[in-house]
Amino acid sequence: PRKVPKHFKRGELRRGILDALREGPLTVGEIAARVGAGLPPRLARQRVGGALRDMRVAGLLAREGWAWR
């Protein structure tokens, strides 16, 4: 198996997402644009989307249509 390069330190992505959502509900693309600086847009959306799903399962976030809060 190939190793996937780490772009965020432990907890850094989650903190960035929560900071971005303090301003109000945002879509995955909007969050990725704010948090994923330096990453290709598609990779940033994939990483943010995965983190959002994990955070929803943990009860930290909720989804309203396309927006997360």
Side-chain angles (χ1 to χ4, degrees):
R2 277 188 328 153
K3 279 198 139 206
V4 178
K6 299 277 184 181
H7 297 283
F8 298 98
K9 293 182 182 179
R10 180 176 293 247
E12 185 179 16
L13 180 57
R14 182 178 279 198
R15 280 190 303 274
I17 290 171
L18 291 173
D19 287 343
L21 289 173
R22 282 195 180 98
E23 300 174 16
L26 299 170
T27 65
V28 172
E30 292 168 337
I31 296 169
R34 294 175 189 207
V35 175
L39 292 178
R42 183 176 177 188
L43 179 59
R45 284 192 305 273
Q46 289 173 342
R47 296 288 163 92
V48 167
L52 288 168
R53 284 187 293 278
D54 292 344
M55 293 168 75
R56 181 182 63 193
V57 169
L60 297 173
L61 298 177
R63 190 170 174 185
E64 296 175 351
W66 290 101
W68 290 84
R69 60 173 179 88

